[in-house]
Amino acid sequence: MNAAPHVDGWKHVSSGKVRELYVPATTADVAGATELLLVASDRVSAYDFALEPPIPGKGELLTRLSRFWFTQLGDVPNHLLGPSATTTPVPSDVATRSMHVMPLRMFPVECVVRGYLSGSGWAEYQESGSVCGVPLPAGLSDGDRLPEPIYTPAYKAPQGEHDENISFERTEELVGAEVAATLRDLSLHVYSEAAAIALQRRVIIADTKFEFGHDTSGQIRIGDEVLTSDSSRYWDASSYDAGNRTDSFDKQIVRNWLSAHWDRQGTPPVLPDEIVERTAARYRELIERLGA
């Protein structure tokens, strides 16, 4: 992984698979920070690995998507900070791919919502008739719309380890019954609102995942990214209606290529130029379709 870029006025404190985290240069660490800067790189990840090479322009596109959805979903608190005389300026060279946010204490739960049967959910359904312990009607096919969206949380593992699907009861053990119910209800609400907005633009959100935390007052807010091509499975509604359930706007192109060329053992192979270019084009097309 390349070194994090220098950002004037900010100090780098950690790297994720895709994002870099900064605190104001005058702040010692995250624990003492009242504001953070999340800078999205062009890195792409799949199956819990950061891949090479990066997708050109991806960081800016992901940031635009998150900002678009945070605006659309204004009834749900999020972690964005508005302009203020007391906040550290964001340099212009990273402004289009960064989010100026408040620190949150993040819950160790990935809040996954599935509106359609696909991916690992389809594989599990074929074996058990359920997804993450949620029973589903018999006779469903890959890509079918579910009778109603389902909430299938996962334990957010430390970087380098695999996230683990967990039951709602396990979520209650991790964060308490009241918070677990709030995370579930917020996740289902946000998904339903966003799915309706996207469908008006002939785009299907098949599934997505959210991360939540609470601020210093105890208010639960959406953190990290929201409804990006990295955290969500987007499909073309017109292609779907015509019977093509593989026409996606996300990094499924990357996943498909990896599945065909890698057994998930050792280091992932380098992505070919053609896969990089196709993925970048689909990211851009989604932005245009949504009007983000």
Side-chain angles (χ1 to χ4, degrees):
M1 184 180 295
N2 295 329
H6 171 77
V7 178
D8 287 341
W10 296 84
K11 179 170 59 179
H12 181 256
V13 290
S14 66
S15 297
K17 284 180 287 190
V18 172
R19 287 169 179 76
E20 307 290 351
L21 179 64
Y22 297 79
V23 298
T26 55
T27 303
D29 52 29
V30 173
T34 58
E35 53 181 323
L36 304 171
L37 191 66
L38 279 174
V39 180
S41 72
D42 290 343
R43 296 191 297 270
V44 62
S45 68
Y47 305 121
D48 294 320
F49 282 89
L51 308 173
E52 292 289 346
I55 307 296
K58 176 175 174 283
E60 180 176 345
L61 295 175
L62 291 184
T63 302
R64 283 178 62 182
L65 269 178
S66 279
R67 287 177 177 167
F68 167 78
W69 283 117
F70 280 136
T71 300
Q72 296 293 316
L73 303 164
D75 62 329
V76 179
N78 63 64
H79 65 159
L80 289 184
L81 285 173
S84 167
T86 63
T87 56
T88 305
V90 177
S92 59
D93 58 334
V94 297
T96 59
R97 55 190 178 94
S98 65
M99 292 189 293
H100 199 179
V101 303
M102 66 183 70
L104 299 178
R105 289 196 64 180
M106 303 302 292
F107 298 111
V109 177
E110 285 202 333
C111 299
V112 181
V113 180
R114 305 170 190 263
Y116 292 73
L117 189 60
S118 187
S120 62
W122 165 241
E124 183 179 344
Y125 173 79
Q126 292 178 90
E127 294 181 358
S128 64
S130 64
V131 175
C132 299
V134 179
L136 295 175
L140 295 179
S141 299
D142 189 9
D144 276 358
R145 184 174 182 175
L146 300 177
E148 60 183 22
I150 61 173
Y151 177 66
T152 59
Y155 171 68
K156 185 168 177 57
Q159 186 175 350
E161 299 180 22
H162 295 287
D163 295 337
E164 173 191 355
N165 292 332
I166 56 176
S167 65
F168 182 73
E169 290 72 25
R170 176 60 179 145
T171 305
E172 291 180 312
E173 294 174 1
L174 287 169
V175 300
E178 183 177 351
V179 170
T182 299
L183 298 184
R184 177 196 61 203
D185 295 346
L186 277 174
S187 298
L188 289 168
H189 168 72
V190 172
Y191 172 81
S192 296
E193 290 288 311
I197 292 169
L199 198 56
Q200 293 173 357
R201 295 154 170 84
R202 301 299 294 153
V203 174
I204 290 170
I205 305 177
D207 53 48
T208 190
K209 62 182 178 181
F210 306 110
E211 294 187 37
F212 293 90
H214 63 80
D215 61 22
T216 54
S217 72
Q219 173 74 64
I220 293 178
R221 297 174 178 272
I222 300 180
D224 197 55
E225 61 185 344
V226 62
L227 293 157
T228 69
S229 310
D230 274 7
S231 66
S232 313
R233 201 183 306 266
Y234 281 99
W235 295 338
D236 186 311
S238 298
S239 295
Y240 181 90
D241 291 344
N244 181 358
R245 298 182 173 188
T246 61
D247 194 5
S248 70
F249 289 107
D250 49 57
K251 57 183 179 183
Q252 192 60 43
I253 294 170
V254 170
R255 293 192 194 98
N256 290 345
W257 186 86
L258 280 177
S259 295
H261 297 86
W262 183 48
D263 61 3
R264 303 198 198 181
Q265 301 298 314
T267 303
V270 173
L271 300 174
D273 291 344
E274 185 259 344
I275 295 299
V276 170
E277 292 165 5
R278 284 175 54 200
T279 302
R282 291 301 272 172
Y283 277 57
R284 291 192 297 268
E285 185 178 351
L286 177 63
I287 290 280
E288 294 168 1
R289 290 282 291 273
L290 292 175

